[in-house]
Every structure is written in structure tokens, then in C-alpha cells.
Amino acid sequence: MNVVSREVDLLARDLVRLLGDLAGLHAELAMHMRGKLEAIKQADAGRIQSITARETLLADKAAEREGLRRQITARIIKGLGVEDKNPTGGPITLTQLAEFFPEPRRSQLLVAAAGLREKVREIDALRQTLSLITREMLEHLTEVLKVMCAGVGTDVYSRTGRRQNTGVAAVFEAVG
């Protein structure tokens, strides 16, 4: 049975709470991303802009909380007196860190880490979808603008007698 100091156990308790907060922030971010997909389908530019502003605030808050998570994790690792690297050379994972704690703290850390991991995966999938949609929309609009700005001007002769295209843009207005 692993024995940890009271200070390290309190830090682990704080880490569990923080992981729950992060999972909540990521869940809210995912909700807004789904709302943005709906706004894109409806071509609601105002709603897209509003959601993007809220997403930015949430992402900033999540980044701040992630910094705090790293600090708490570093203090726990130091308090445990273990290396901050796992056997593969990368940073120690929360799952690996949880193994240093007795129950019920171990399970609390594992559940909190799994919940956050699930939300991060959901956000990543939504981000990929939104990126694909945005990229396709930009390509489409680029082609539309090329056609609109290409012009359908007629060839005319300049003062020097050379033929040149007037390049008048054929801009039209669609109403409906």
C-alpha cells in the first residue's frame, strides 16, 4: 500500500477538482462548437461571431487552468520524490501518477483524468470537422470571387492599335 504525505494528498484532491473543472470547461466548449456547426449550416454570421467570441474566452480560461494543473502536478511529483518522466521518456501521465496513491484517491484521479480525456477527444473531433468545413468554404468562396472579378469585358483596341481586354468585372446581385 502506498503511503503519501498529507500535503501531497491534499494536492491530489485539488488536482481532482481541477480536472473536473477542466472537463466542465471542455464540455461547454464542445457545446459551443456544436452550436457553431448549426450556425454555419444556417449561414448565421452573427451567431458564428458570437460563438467564436465565447469560445475564445473559454479557451483562454482552459489554458489558464491547464497551467495550474501543470503546477499542481509538478508539486505532487516533487512531493512524491519520483521522476517527472515515464519509462518511455515522455512526461508522466495522470494515469501513471495515480498509481502512487492509495484508494480512494487513485480511483478519483483515474476517473477525473478519463473524463477530461473524453472531452478533449470530443473537442478534437469537432475541431477537425469545423476546420474541414471552413477550408471547403474558403475554397468555394475563392472560386466565386475569381468568377465575379474575372470580368466578361470585350476586346477593344487601344490608341496604339493593339487589342486589349477591358476586364470589366461582372458583379451581380442575388436577391431572394
Side-chain angles (χ1 to χ4, degrees), residues 20-85:
D21 290 347
L22 278 167
L25 284 171
H26 283 79
E28 189 176 350
L29 190 57
M31 176 194 70
H32 286 298
M33 292 173 85
R34 285 189 296 275
K36 186 187 277 186
L37 278 171
E38 286 302 313
I40 289 171
K41 288 177 186 176
Q42 297 168 359
D44 187 344
R47 188 166 161 222
I48 293 169
Q49 189 174 21
S50 172
I51 290 171
T52 301
R54 180 69 180 144
E55 285 175 333
T56 301
L57 291 174
L58 286 170
D60 289 346
K61 189 172 182 180
E64 175 188 307
R65 305 301 276 167
E66 175 61 18
L68 181 57
R69 185 204 61 80
R70 289 176 189 266
Q71 290 174 5
I72 291 173
T73 303
R75 287 182 59 195
I76 291 172
I77 290 170
K78 184 178 178 184
L80 290 171
V82 298
E83 290 290 319
D84 62 349
K85 301 285 183 197

Side-chain angles (χ1 to χ4, degrees), residues 151-169:
V152 292
T154 58
D155 288 339
V156 296
Y157 291 97
S158 69
R159 288 184 182 186
T160 61
R162 295 183 186 251
R163 201 170 99 183
Q164 73 185 88
N165 190 320
T166 60
V168 176

